Amino acid sequence: MAEISHPPMEQLQDLEYCIDSNPPWPETIFLSFQNYILMLGTTVIIPSVLVPMMGGSTEDKIRVIQTSLFVSGINTLLQALFGTRLPTVVSGSFAYVIPIIYIIGDSSLQRIPDPHERFIQTMRAIQGATIVASSLQIILGYSQIWGLFSRFFSPLGMAPVICLVGLGLFERGFPLLGNCVEIGIPMLLLTVGLSQYMKHIRPLRNVPIFERFPVLICITIIWVYSHVLTAGGAYRHRPVRTQNSCRTDRANLISSAPWFKFPYPLQWGAPTFDAGHTVAMMAGVLVSLIESTGAYKAASRLAIATPPPAYVLSRGIGWQGIGTLLDGLFGTGTGSTVSVENVGLLGLTRVGSRRVVEISAGFMLFFSTLGKFGALFASIPFPIFAALYCVLFGLVASVGLSFLQFTNMNSMRNLLITGLSLFLGISVPQFFNDFLTSSGHGPVHTHAGWFNAFLNTIFSSPPTVGLLVAVVLDNTLDVEKSKKDRGMPWWVKFRTFRGDNRNEEFYTLPFNLNRFFPPT
């Protein structure tokens, strides 16, 4: 047999800056701003969909966007300093959309005749449900229960989960890009061309600007191009959907945004609490927890760090629960999760520096208070972001597949587990989403709305379905004689903080806090 030329490697190649090494300051600033621009896509689209359903106006929408951006900055900073300490951006999550729609449809809220009053009361109900539901994540994290559960994870079990963190977001890629192909396709081609084919061209001294800043360069070029099309009347007589996707002046964000607005807790009034709303929201918390776990594993690999041990993973989930609590207190209209697109950006730029993400949190806080400036960047047409997602989500999915190198993929057991978890992880949520689109409600449709929202949320999440299938099969099929095939000899040393001496370098708390909070 020929010599194996590519043996399994714990760390990815071609990454230039790891979690605790930093680019020069000018590069760091631009990289941080690039992270900020990228996370705007999700930050804008969630309120743009939900606020009108709640009865809110354009002014309400921009206020929710500012609040979400402000809280994302706080949560990102907390996660980078005290959570997993990985270079991950924490932002709003689509995992909470189904529970929120259930709350919006509550008959007691729908009976309110005044739209603005209905928006306020709905926001308070969402806040109350989010505040209580966040306790689930806080308990699972700080009690180390999630860390204990991670004992059942293996490279074979986590590979499909991480893969589905990226692949499960395919509907936010080309389907949304296709709403405006004249700017989406050029954006996709330009991003791949600059970041891959022109990455070695260095017109500015020794700085690889096309490799480091493809998002900034491509967004600027295509944004100007889309503005030229808008000003030239290219969309004057086009359908409303096309105009909303393509025009640079349809969002009304800049005109509606105040020059200065400082978000503060309970700005919408006192939260209201309902048991059914809370149970439904807990499904979003669980889905967010699972999706974030996969994203943390991917981020650790792209930051040239060891996989976060159980203690660090639990610590990160606990802080993420604190972040969701802040979402409820400030009223962002959703909960928090790890931004998958920003994880993919680590690989695209080959920079996994923690400092870059910490400074990007500063940009979020700054532009969230200066409304006009923040709204300017938030007015970028969404197909531009969708084109980026095609690259970045795919990159995260491939990082998940890279975990299979530590397993025996000549084993029929492993092939079955991988294939079945990937297929069901895509197929089951697709069934639930198609059912929801065609009938107006999910497949689970009983008289208990909270029960419907809970199960429909769980089974609409690809990583959650993938984890249920992969982890259950991996821990019940020929477990004892398959330890080596599952990749456990490589994986077991990363279960504990003391299992690998590199963990202390990557995950130790700052300010000598480990003295007060020693790893367990």
Side-chain angles (χ1 to χ4, degrees), residues 30-245:
F30 281 105
L31 286 166
S32 301
F33 187 68
Q34 187 169 240
N35 269 279
Y36 159 72
I37 290 292
L38 183 61
M39 62 85 62
L40 285 178
T42 299
T43 304
V44 171
I45 195 172
I46 294 178
S48 297
V49 171
L50 295 178
V51 170
M53 296 173 63
M54 298 160 63
S57 62
T58 304
E59 289 75 15
D60 294 324
K61 180 174 71 175
I62 188 63
R63 190 174 172 189
V64 172
I65 291 173
Q66 285 182 269
T67 304
S68 181
L69 189 60
F70 182 82
V71 176
S72 293
I74 296 175
N75 290 340
T76 298
L77 200 57
L78 290 175
Q79 194 63 240
L81 287 174
F82 308 115
T84 60
R85 307 218 68 211
L86 289 166
T88 53
V89 170
V90 180
S91 64
S93 172
F94 280 89
Y96 296 86
V97 168
I98 293 178
I100 290 171
I101 291 177
Y102 159 67
I103 296 174
I104 293 172
D106 190 300
S107 58
S108 63
L109 297 171
Q110 288 296 314
R111 284 195 295 266
I112 301 175
D114 180 59
H116 182 69
E117 180 63 22
R118 186 170 76 251
F119 166 76
I120 294 295
Q121 295 300 327
T122 304
M123 179 60 79
R124 291 176 179 178
I126 293 171
Q127 285 183 261
T130 305
I131 289 171
V132 178
S134 68
S135 62
L136 179 62
Q137 225 169 28
I138 294 172
I139 292 171
L140 289 176
Y142 290 125
S143 68
Q144 296 292 312
I145 291 176
W146 189 245
L148 292 173
F149 181 75
S150 69
R151 287 173 54 87
F152 297 103
F153 298 164
S154 71
L156 180 68
M158 289 309 296
V161 177
I162 301 170
C163 186
L164 288 167
V165 166
L167 292 183
L169 298 170
F170 70 92
E171 289 186 343
R172 289 163 58 190
F174 206 89
L176 294 180
L177 180 156
N179 290 336
C180 191
V181 292
E182 54 266 44
I183 64 175
I185 293 294
M187 181 67 187
L188 176 59
L189 296 176
L190 189 62
T191 301
V192 175
L194 285 184
S195 65
Q196 303 305 313
Y197 291 97
M198 299 180 64
K199 62 183 179 182
H200 299 299
I201 299 177
R202 303 189 176 188
L204 185 64
R205 294 184 180 178
N206 293 321
V207 181
I209 59 172
F210 296 133
E211 182 180 67
R212 290 284 187 274
F213 314 112
V215 171
L216 284 182
I217 296 171
C218 295
I219 283 182
T220 302
I221 294 172
I222 302 301
W223 192 14
V224 171
Y225 167 62
S226 63
H227 187 70
V228 170
L229 291 178
T230 300
Y235 307 112
R236 194 164 296 157
H237 304 294
R238 300 290 291 277
V240 174
R241 181 178 179 181
T242 301
Q243 293 197 40
N244 289 336
S245 297

Side-chain angles (χ1 to χ4, degrees), residues 156 404-412 414-416 418-419 485:
L156 180 68
L404 292 176
Q405 68 182 301
F406 306 109
T407 69
N408 176 17
M409 292 312 291
N410 292 313
S411 163
M412 284 304 303
N414 290 1
L415 291 174
L416 172 69
T418 303
D485 287 349

Side-chain angles (χ1 to χ4, degrees), residues 134 172 196 204 263 271 273 422 426 434 455:
S134 68
R172 289 163 58 190
Q196 303 305 313
L204 185 64
F273 300 93
L422 282 174
I426 295 174
D434 289 346
L455 288 185

Side-chain angles (χ1 to χ4, degrees), residues 356-505:
V356 168
V357 169
E358 291 171 343
I359 296 176
S360 73
F363 279 115
M364 297 174 209
L365 295 171
F366 178 75
F367 284 111
S368 66
T369 56
L370 296 180
K372 295 289 185 185
F373 292 98
L376 173 65
F377 299 118
S379 65
I380 299 170
F382 193 77
I384 291 178
F385 291 106
L388 291 169
Y389 295 164
C390 292
V391 178
L392 300 175
F393 292 161
L395 186 54
V396 172
S398 64
V399 171
L401 293 177
S402 74
F403 278 83
L404 292 176
Q405 68 182 301
F406 306 109
T407 69
N408 176 17
M409 292 312 291
N410 292 313
S411 163
M412 284 304 303
R413 171 195 182 274
N414 290 1
L415 291 174
L416 172 69
I417 293 172
T418 303
L420 188 60
S421 55
L422 282 174
F423 185 84
L424 291 180
I426 295 174
S427 185
V428 171
Q430 185 65 34
F431 166 71
F432 272 72
N433 291 329
D434 289 346
F435 200 103
L436 177 64
T437 303
S438 61
S439 63
H441 57 79
V444 182
H445 187 57
T446 67
H447 294 295
W450 59 269
F451 179 76
N452 302 337
F454 188 93
L455 288 185
N456 287 327
T457 299
I458 293 293
F459 290 103
S460 293
S461 166
T464 305
V465 175
L467 182 136
L468 290 173
V469 176
V471 172
V472 169
L473 291 178
D474 189 36
N475 286 276
T476 55
L477 290 178
D478 301 326
V479 181
E480 287 303 318
K481 65 179 183 180
S482 301
K483 284 185 178 179
K484 190 173 182 180
D485 287 349
R486 299 166 63 205
M488 293 309 292
W490 172 75
W491 187 263
V492 70
K493 63 181 177 181
F494 302 119
R495 281 182 174 177
T496 62
F497 194 87
R498 305 297 181 190
D500 190 294
N501 55 16
R502 292 170 294 178
N503 290 338
E504 187 170 351
E505 173 189 355

